[in-house]
Amino acid sequence: IPDFIVSFLKDDRYSDWLMRFRNHPNFTKGLDYCARRLSLVDRRRFEIVDQNRNLYDEFLDATHHITGYSSCCYEAESFGVPTLLFGEEAQSIYETDIARGRFCWTRGETSDLIAWLERSSSKDVVHSDQYIESSLSLASSMLAADLPVY
């Protein structure tokens, strides 16, 4: 959790924002890390969620998404959730998508975070269904198409 996010959470001017932290499922020490990193932040400003909860369910609940370099920025986009990438590694990995405006990026400034949150307000978020198709008929037809005929 970068300093600019901790600074944002400590700033009472933005107390109407709640941040939810979810670690990668393979990061087994994630819950302890988050608790330590956020120990000086008012607990009403954030949640640490179960890292085993379905990521897509998280995106259905989210209005914004922030990551250092995770490719789940593409899944967030599919759900209509804007992503803010941070750090030099993200700038390098997603250079083309940032340049095209697909994702926003910050070096790690609290002012960038605030501007991004204000610009991409939750009122503008519309969850898309283009990424996940969940109809039973589609699943049945795809399964039937892949089964060998004897």
Side-chain angles (χ1 to χ4, degrees), residues 20 22 47 49-64 75-76 79 81 127 131-132 134:
R20 177 183 253 172
R22 179 185 187 275
E47 295 176 352
V49 298
D50 182 358
Q51 59 203 42
N52 294 315
R53 183 175 182 225
N54 185 305
L55 179 63
Y56 299 152
D57 290 337
E58 290 293 340
F59 287 135
L60 287 172
D61 291 341
T63 59
H64 297 76
E75 282 93 351
F79 283 86
V81 178
H127 294 296
Y131 184 75
I132 298 174
S134 61

Side-chain angles (χ1 to χ4, degrees), residues 17-144:
W17 285 95
L18 172 73
M19 285 204 172
R20 177 183 253 172
F21 294 89
R22 179 185 187 275
N23 291 291
H24 190 282
N26 292 337
F27 185 35
T28 57
K29 297 180 182 180
L31 296 176
D32 292 335
Y33 164 78
C34 284
R36 280 193 319 276
R37 183 70 173 116
L38 299 169
S39 65
L40 299 178
V41 174
D42 182 342
R43 285 284 304 166
R44 293 174 293 186
R45 297 293 317 277
F46 69 91
E47 295 176 352
I48 303 170
V49 298
D50 182 358
Q51 59 203 42
N52 294 315
R53 183 175 182 225
N54 185 305
L55 179 63
Y56 299 152
D57 290 337
E58 290 293 340
F59 287 135
L60 287 172
D61 291 341
T63 59
H64 297 76
H65 175 246
I66 304 169
T67 185
Y69 50 83
S70 174
S71 63
C72 67
C73 53
Y74 295 108
E75 282 93 351
E77 178 185 44
S78 296
F79 283 86
V81 178
T83 291
L84 177 67
L85 299 161
F86 63 87
E88 304 301 323
E89 190 170 7
Q91 183 185 36
S92 175
I93 294 170
Y94 300 103
E95 179 179 13
T96 302
D97 288 328
I98 293 167
R100 291 181 180 158
R102 188 173 191 177
F103 306 121
C104 292
W105 176 81
T106 179
R107 202 174 302 288
E109 302 294 328
T110 304
S111 58
D112 291 345
L113 171 61
I114 293 164
W116 175 72
L117 288 170
E118 290 173 349
R119 186 173 58 250
S120 57
S121 95
S122 62
K123 295 175 192 142
D124 298 332
V125 173
V126 176
H127 294 296
S128 167
D129 63 358
Q130 295 175 351
Y131 184 75
I132 298 174
E133 183 64 54
S134 61
S135 76
L136 183 57
S137 60
L138 176 67
S140 298
S141 65
M142 290 182 75
L143 184 59

